[in-house]
Amino acid sequence: MERFRGYIAGLGTASGTRLVIGHWPDSPFGPFTDVMVENRFGSRLLLAPSEAVARYVSSTYTFDAIDVVPVSAFLAEDRLRVDGGPLQLSARLGPVTPLGRVLEAVPAPLAVHPLWLQAINPLASLIVRGVRTAGTTGDRLEFYGVRSIRRLASAQCSWNGEDMGALRPVSPPVRFGFSSVPARPQILAVTTTITARPAQKEGIHAWKTAFTRMPSPSGPIPVRPESNRAMNTSRSGWAET
């Protein structure tokens, strides 16, 4: 079983490009940040900080191209900054959303447990269209345990120095995996659990027996030329230490 503890930010821009930023202070690869990009034509690009991260993420999600480039992020109580290859982003964080406050009230061990996330998956897609808390990608099971949500109040984004326009909803939904991010620009405090999918088993018993350590992926990845901080253990975990 692999666990990634950190943050996922999703936003759209006036240019039609939509971004999903994963900022992971605690992961099997150590602290890292990656960016999934889908432009208005539907082309999907991964910006990854290392070949190991690129190999792992691209074996879990679907992309048309991959760039291995330096990617750095800074998350403070009121802002998020990301620099990755051609992308520069500065976003201002808004308040915790009403749904985020509800999620903060769920005990942490329950909020991130795969069986709980499987159980609430049908409800999650009804509350937030296009969003799922559990699903499969290839030979893997994924579970998204959201601990809190804050809206993004504003953002300035540029790509190769060109302004991408004002903040917009993530519309249409992104198509990297089985779930999109919420349409409204937001940042989520989340624990993502990934495990091997059990062969020829179905239903709740398969989910219960699936939590064995998944081997690290190996082999070459397609790479296209370029075009350590610990998470705070407070209730919502927004500021980093």
Side-chain angles (χ1 to χ4, degrees):
M1 180 173 65
E2 309 285 353
R3 275 204 163 161
F4 298 74
R5 298 175 178 89
Y7 308 87
I8 295 176
L11 64 148
T13 65
S15 68
T17 297
R18 289 140 288 147
L19 307 171
V20 178
I21 299 157
H23 179 49
W24 308 107
D26 181 10
S27 87
F29 298 94
F32 76 92
T33 300
D34 67 315
V35 184
M36 304 180 191
V37 185
E38 185 169 351
N39 67 17
R40 62 190 179 95
F41 303 107
S43 293
R44 294 159 296 183
L45 169 68
L46 171 65
L47 301 178
S50 69
E51 290 198 8
V53 169
R55 185 179 299 115
Y56 187 93
V57 175
S58 64
S59 67
T60 307
Y61 302 95
T62 302
F63 303 96
D64 301 298
I66 299 167
D67 281 354
V68 176
V69 294
V71 184
S72 62
F74 173 77
L75 178 64
E77 186 66 28
D78 61 345
R79 66 189 185 279
L80 170 68
R81 289 205 314 266
V82 179
D83 290 286
L87 173 68
Q88 287 77 45
L89 177 144
S90 178
R92 184 168 62 87
L93 277 59
V96 176
T97 68
L99 178 57
R101 296 200 180 279
V102 171
L103 293 170
E104 288 179 0
V106 179
L110 177 63
V112 303
H113 197 285
L115 294 179
W116 165 258
L117 296 171
Q118 183 208 10
I120 66 171
N121 185 51
L123 180 61
S125 61
L126 292 176
I127 295 174
V128 184
R129 184 177 181 183
V131 171
R132 298 176 63 189
T133 57
T136 60
T137 54
D139 61 352
R140 298 178 183 179
L141 304 174
E142 282 191 87
F143 307 89
Y144 295 111
V146 179
R147 296 291 296 115
S148 186
I149 304 171
R150 291 179 66 175
R151 69 182 182 89
L152 297 180
S154 63
Q156 294 79 47
C157 306
S158 64
W159 190 268
N160 287 328
E162 295 187 12
D163 184 36
M164 299 167 70
L167 193 64
R168 293 287 188 271
V170 182
S171 180
V174 290
R175 304 169 299 113
F176 306 113
F178 65 84
S179 177
S180 182
V181 292
R184 180 173 295 180
Q186 295 176 341
I187 181 169
L188 297 77
V190 63
T191 295
T192 299
T193 302
I194 301 177
T195 188
R197 184 179 184 180
Q200 298 180 345
K201 292 185 179 181
E202 297 180 357
I204 192 73
H205 298 292
W207 298 77
K208 285 183 177 178
T209 59
F211 310 130
T212 56
R213 184 170 181 83
M214 181 169 57
S216 299
S218 60
I221 57 171
V223 178
R224 182 164 73 80
E226 201 280 318
S227 6
N228 307 344
R229 304 157 65 85
M231 187 166 62
N232 192 307
T233 56
S234 65
R235 189 180 196 59
S236 58
W238 285 112
E240 294 182 308
T241 57

